[in-house]
Amino acid sequence: MRLVIARCSVDYAGRLTAHLPSAPRLILVKADGSVSIHADDRAYKPLNWMSPPCTLKEGSGDDAGVWTVVNKAGEKLIITMEEVLHDSSHELGVDPGLIKDGVEAHLQELLADRIETLGEGYSLIRREYMTAIGPVDILCRDADGKTVAVEIKRRGEIDGVEQLTRYLELLNRDPHLAPVRGIFAAQEIKPQARVLATDRGIGCAVLDYNALRGIEDDKLRLF
């Protein structure tokens, strides 16, 4: 990972255009090729970013200090450096991934064992299906044989929807799996997360932990 702190301006040119005026910012360049620009006042969410696959070209000569990031759709993120305050690279190695708490891990196990509760005719492909950016909780097929990726959380928030969106983007590049749709499953789904999921064509499932354990007869509810 490369970390650059610089006074810079940023221009995005694609389906829309956006401009960030000059200010000190953190620029992250990750091993997967992604580039993101961060301020110091909004937690984890970047001001602008380019997801992989994309290429980064650093200018020279008259264009020294200008970074141009281009993705496969031809969209551009142009970063104009005015002053570089810090520039370092760090080898992080392979990340072991998120270790889920006991409830999330058990929900995944229970739902995999009772995958038909997502719908009649569903069948399990596998749990923890590995992708380049981490494991999908459950990969399964619906009654029509279409691939479905399921992300499981105890508490469903926007972060989880974003995570599933990234998985779906990768999975849909695999011709052996595509088309792949998503289901965001949690014991509780926040309204904002439900709205975002619906907007992206992702289904939502409210999980009843006790019902999955066989303590109650209530069925899992799909919305």
Side-chain angles (χ1 to χ4, degrees):
M1 178 184 290
R2 184 177 178 186
L3 296 87
V4 178
I5 299 174
R7 178 174 291 277
C8 63
S9 59
V10 183
D11 291 279
Y12 168 80
R15 290 167 293 179
L16 302 172
T17 59
H19 174 72
L20 293 173
S22 176
R25 297 189 174 93
L26 168 65
I27 303 165
L28 297 181
V29 183
K30 295 187 178 180
D32 64 2
S34 64
V35 178
S36 57
I37 297 97
H38 299 259
D40 202 19
D41 65 347
R42 55 196 69 216
Y44 65 91
K45 189 171 183 179
L47 296 166
N48 214 327
W49 67 94
M50 193 69 82
S51 300
C54 57
T55 58
L56 167 62
K57 180 181 179 181
E58 298 185 41
S60 59
D62 293 341
D63 292 328
V66 178
W67 289 12
T68 303
V69 188
V70 183
N71 67 10
K72 64 178 182 179
E75 299 167 317
K76 294 183 178 180
L77 192 65
I78 301 171
I79 307 168
T80 304
M81 310 283 190
E82 299 170 15
E83 181 184 9
V84 176
L85 305 172
H86 175 85
D87 188 346
S88 64
S89 297
H90 307 269
E91 180 59 55
L92 302 185
V94 178
D95 191 89
L98 177 68
I99 299 176
K100 295 179 178 292
D101 66 31
V103 173
E104 282 188 16
H106 200 202
L107 280 170
Q108 182 192 115
E109 180 182 351
L110 290 168
L111 186 56
D113 287 342
R114 300 180 60 183
I115 197 67
E116 71 282 353
T117 55
L118 287 175
E120 186 177 351
Y122 273 66
S123 59
L124 179 69
I125 296 176
R126 66 167 298 167
R127 292 171 53 195
E128 299 287 331
Y129 184 89
M130 186 56 65
T131 74
I133 58 173
V136 178
D137 287 336
I138 290 177
L139 200 68
C140 58
R141 296 194 189 280
D142 63 17
D144 297 322
K146 300 293 181 62
T147 311
V148 181
V150 185
E151 179 63 26
I152 299 171
K153 300 292 184 187
R154 182 171 59 176
R155 184 185 181 95
E157 301 188 12
I158 285 177
D159 291 3
V161 179
E162 294 283 8
Q163 183 180 359
L164 179 54
T165 300
R166 293 192 294 270
Y167 288 146
L168 289 171
E169 183 180 351
L170 281 177
L171 293 169
N172 273 299
R173 296 177 195 167
D174 187 336
H176 299 292
L177 297 176
V180 185
R181 64 182 178 90
I183 293 178
F184 185 51
Q187 288 180 287
E188 174 192 2
I189 299 178
K190 292 293 185 179
Q192 299 93 330
R194 186 182 296 277
V195 169
L196 180 61
T198 301
D199 181 67
R200 295 182 177 180
I202 293 172
C204 291
V206 177
L207 302 177
D208 186 322
Y209 186 52
N210 286 332
L212 286 172
R213 294 169 64 197
I215 294 177
E216 299 177 5
D217 292 330
D218 295 339
K219 296 293 184 182
L220 174 148
R221 300 186 299 279
L222 274 175
F223 298 91

